Amino acid sequence: MARKVLIDSDTASDDTIAIMLSSRLFELLGVTIVAGNVEFKDQVRNALFTLEYINREDVPVYLGFDRPILGTWRTVEEVHGSNGMGGWQFKDPAKKPESEHAIDAIIRLSKEFSGEIEILAVSPLTNLALAYLRDRSIVNRIKKVWIMGGALTRGNTTPLAEFNFWVDPEAAKIVLDAGFDVTIVPWETAEDYGLIDLETWGRIRKMGTKLSNFFVNVNKTLLEYSIKQGNRGSVHPDSLTVYLAYDNSSITEQRRFKVNVELCSTSRGGMLIDWYGKDNLNSNLVLRADSNKFKDELLLTLSSF
C-alpha cells in the first residue's frame, strides 16, 4: 500500500517535478501552497497546471499563507523564470483550488490519516508551523516531516542561509522545536546529489515524451541559473527530497543533530548545527545520497508518457 503524503510547495520549476514524482511514488493527498519562489498567484497557477498536465486533476490544491510569519522576503524569478516555469507560456488551467485553507486541510488530514500521513515540505515552513500553533497535538498524528531546507556552510541566498529557511526562519524554528520526526535535506546535499547534468539533460530532451517536454520547459531558466552558479547542470533539491523520502536506502549517510535556526540580522535564516552535542537532538540530516538512483527514477518517470 502506498504511503500517504501531503506536499507543501512554493510551486516553481523543480517543485513541479517534485509534485510529479510524489504523485507517482506515493498516495498524494494534496498540495498546499505557501509563499516563496515567485508571486503567490503564479505558484497557485503552476500547481494547478502541473496536476492537470500530468493527469492528476483529482489531487486537491489548498491555498496557504502568501507571506512569512515575520519580516519581508524577495521572490527569485531569476532562478525559475518570470512565471516560475522557465517563462513557458501555457493556458490557464481549468482546475481550481479548494475553498478549504491549507492550515485547516493539514489539520483535518492529520486526523483522518493519524499516524500515517507524511509531510513533504519542499518550501518555506510557514503553513506547517502555523498548523502546529493552531493544534499542537498534530505532532502526534504526523508520521514524518521531510524538509528541504537549510545550508551547512554554503548559503544560496545569503552567505549563511538557504532560501526556504531564509524566507521564514521563525517558521523553521517552530517546526524544528515542535517535536516532529524530522529529516532535513540541506542545500549542499541537493547541490552534490540532486544535480541533473548536461548529459542527462540531453537524454531527457531526446525522449520526446509529454513529461520530458514538461521537464525541459519548466526547468530551462533553472538550468541556465545553475550553470552560472558553477554547477554542471541543474540542481533539483525538491525532487531529490521527495525521492529520498520514498527510497530511504538511497540516503547513504545521515546523522542526528540538534538543529536550530538563526533569526537575526545578516545571519537570519542560517541553519545552526550542534556538531558535537549529544542532547536534545531533533533532526536527521542527510549528508550523502545515491545520485544515480535519483536520476534513474526521474528518467523512468519522464519516459512513462
Side-chain angles (χ1 to χ4, degrees), residues 171-208:
K173 181 172 177 58
I174 288 168
V175 170
L176 293 180
D177 290 345
F180 292 107
D181 181 356
V182 168
T183 292
I184 299 172
V185 179
W187 170 249
E188 290 88 343
T189 301
E191 201 169 34
D192 292 342
Y193 303 103
L195 182 82
I196 302 302
D197 57 63
L198 293 176
E199 180 184 356
T200 305
W201 261 87
R203 293 174 63 187
I204 293 170
R205 284 194 177 100
K206 288 179 181 177
M207 282 181 188

Side-chain angles (χ1 to χ4, degrees), residues 6 8 29-34 40 44 59-64 97-106 108-109 127:
L6 185 66
D8 196 34
L29 301 177
V31 178
T32 52
I33 309 296
V34 68
F40 193 80
V44 175
V59 176
V61 173
Y62 303 98
L63 307 191
E98 305 299 308
S99 59
E100 184 181 22
H101 194 278
I103 302 304
D104 299 319
I106 291 170
R108 173 179 58 80
L109 289 167
N127 285 339

Side-chain angles (χ1 to χ4, degrees), residues 124-143:
L125 290 160
T126 315
N127 285 339
L128 183 56
L130 292 175
Y132 165 74
L133 292 180
R134 171 87 65 83
D135 179 0
R136 295 190 182 189
S137 65
I138 196 173
V139 170
N140 302 316
R141 300 191 300 270
I142 290 179
K143 181 178 180 180

Side-chain angles (χ1 to χ4, degrees), residues 2 32 41 48 78 96 104 130 139 156 226 236 242 270 273 277 282-283 286:
T32 52
K41 61 179 176 56
L48 295 169
E78 69 273 17
K96 303 298 180 186
D104 299 319
L130 292 175
V139 170
N156 65 2
S226 296
H236 294 263
V242 168
I273 304 164
N282 63 357
S283 301
V286 177

Side-chain angles (χ1 to χ4, degrees), residues 75-89:
T75 55
V76 284
E77 283 81 3
E78 69 273 17
V79 179
H80 303 287
S82 58
N83 59 355
M85 300 283 270
W88 185 20
Q89 298 304 309

